Amino acid sequence: MSVRKAVMVLYRVCWIAFFVMVVISLFPRPPFPYWLTWVPAAAAVALGLATGRRGRAAMVDPPPAVEVEPPVTGRWKALNSPADKVPSHGVHAYGQTYAIDIVAEPGTGAGMGPEPGAAPEPVAVPEPLAVPEGEPVLPSRPEFRALWPIARRNHHFPAFGAPLLAVADGTVVHASHDSRDHLSRNSFPALVYLMLIEASVRDMRGAGAVVGNHIVLDLGDGTYAMYAHLRHGSLRVRAGEKVRAGQQLAECGNSGNSTEPHVHFQLMDDPDLDVAVGIPFTWRGTGVPGNGEIFTVGAAVHGSPAEESRGAQAS
């Protein structure tokens, strides 16, 4: 076990000890002074800051961005983008320094799982900006609500069920899809629950509970791609399998620490999320969309130049 891995394990142990001591202190005559309760919490904060040192150091002289294909097709909106802020998610933990979240926008065929009991619908439109006659228009992405409804089912979100594609040729290092897709957290009460309770519990359980169902691809040259919050039971690949750019890997879901169905994508320097440091990326033909920026990826973009190149090499 590496030092960094050991520090992350100790970090979680400290938080667990803190919450256990808080519960014990609620009983009459606890076996320790109240101030001692905060010692493991302070230690956890210090360890958390220590684990971010490598990420902060890497930001001083960041490596060049690695160009890969976009992981989706259709029309999407960027959130928590490294184009606007680094670290994009506010932390360096789990290799998230340059991570990005994207949500599907309506009426573009970006992808949507069928409503329970409904017939499957197409998940891609040849030209996302112009929906052909007879092609179903996806429902609008539900807005954040102050109070009601507190939560929504995932089929209300157009990103749910969208195909996720390999961004480059590579090898699957990790693939999991056993975690359930929970309800959305896109209301104020649900968001408070997520931030104050659920996120803390997931963090103590480890990286897998935070990112939910996920895939890690080895792209070579010490670069790994990670897709998080995959749909339960949607894997099309398994660990050890070689994949080609543009190949479907799984579907967008809402597992792990997630407010709604969306794609969390990042590049990192290690397949272990506990020790990984983020690597900048850029999507071929798209770049790095900024927060709130809507971008469109056509299905033909995926792999066409690479396929032509491979075909030429083969001949």
Side-chain angles (χ1 to χ4, degrees):
M1 180 184 294
S2 68
V3 173
R4 184 174 173 83
K5 183 75 172 181
V7 169
M8 287 300 295
V9 172
L10 184 57
Y11 163 81
R12 296 187 187 106
V13 170
C14 286
W15 277 124
I16 293 172
F18 167 69
F19 283 107
V20 170
M21 292 177 73
V22 167
V23 172
I24 294 176
S25 67
L26 298 177
F27 291 91
R29 297 182 180 179
F32 48 81
Y34 179 74
W35 64 266
L36 195 61
T37 304
W38 296 94
V39 171
V45 171
L47 291 169
L49 292 174
T51 58
R53 288 179 59 186
R54 284 185 62 208
R56 291 192 295 273
M59 286 177 56
V60 176
D61 185 20
V66 176
E67 186 177 56
V68 294
E69 300 288 348
V72 295
T73 59
R75 189 168 181 262
W76 296 73
K77 177 188 288 186
L79 303 173
N80 299 320
S81 171
D84 295 272
K85 181 183 69 172
V86 176
S88 57
H89 286 58
V91 295
H92 296 281
Y94 309 130
Q96 296 183 95
T97 303
Y98 301 97
I100 191 170
D101 294 331
I102 57 175
V103 293
E105 283 300 307
T108 61
M112 174 179 171
E115 186 171 350
E121 293 183 346
V123 296
V125 175
E127 279 297 331
L129 292 178
V131 181
E133 183 178 354
E135 195 75 26
V137 177
L138 299 179
S140 299
R141 172 175 163 246
E143 296 180 355
F144 183 87
R145 296 290 186 177
L147 184 61
W148 192 264
I150 294 176
R152 294 179 183 272
R153 296 189 181 276
N154 291 308
H155 65 262
H156 290 289
F157 295 84
F160 190 64
L164 302 183
L165 312 176
V167 296
D169 296 349
T171 303
V172 180
V173 177
H174 174 89
S176 62
H177 66 171
D178 295 330
S179 297
R180 68 182 181 88
D181 294 293
H182 54 71
L183 298 176
S184 74
R185 309 283 191 257
N186 64 332
S187 69
F188 185 72
L191 186 61
V192 169
Y193 162 76
L194 173 68
M195 299 301 293
L196 297 184
I197 301 176
E198 184 178 359
S200 299
V201 172
R202 290 186 182 278
D203 196 33
M204 286 188 288
R205 289 174 56 196
V210 175
V211 300
N213 301 321
H214 64 288
I215 287 176
V216 177
L217 293 183
D218 182 354
L219 307 184
D221 297 324
T223 301
Y224 299 83
M226 197 275 286
Y227 307 67
H229 313 306
L230 309 182
R231 185 178 186 177
H232 172 77
S234 70
L235 282 180
R236 301 279 185 98
V237 295
R238 63 181 63 182
E241 184 176 340
K242 294 187 180 298
V243 298
R244 306 299 293 268
Q247 178 180 336
Q248 183 172 348
L249 306 175
E251 297 175 6
C252 175
N254 194 34
S255 58
N257 204 51
S258 172
T259 56
E260 66 177 90
H262 73 283
V263 179
H264 174 106
F265 175 82
Q266 66 189 50
L267 295 185
M268 51 193 186
D269 68 353
D270 195 285
D272 187 339
L273 292 169
D274 277 340
V275 303
V277 172
I279 294 176
F281 74 90
T282 181
W283 286 331
R284 186 170 292 113
T286 302
V288 183
N291 286 338
E293 181 179 343
I294 294 176
F295 63 98
T296 302
V297 181
V301 169
H302 271 275
S304 54
E307 290 294 339
E308 292 176 4
S309 175
R310 284 194 289 267
Q313 292 173 0
S315 62

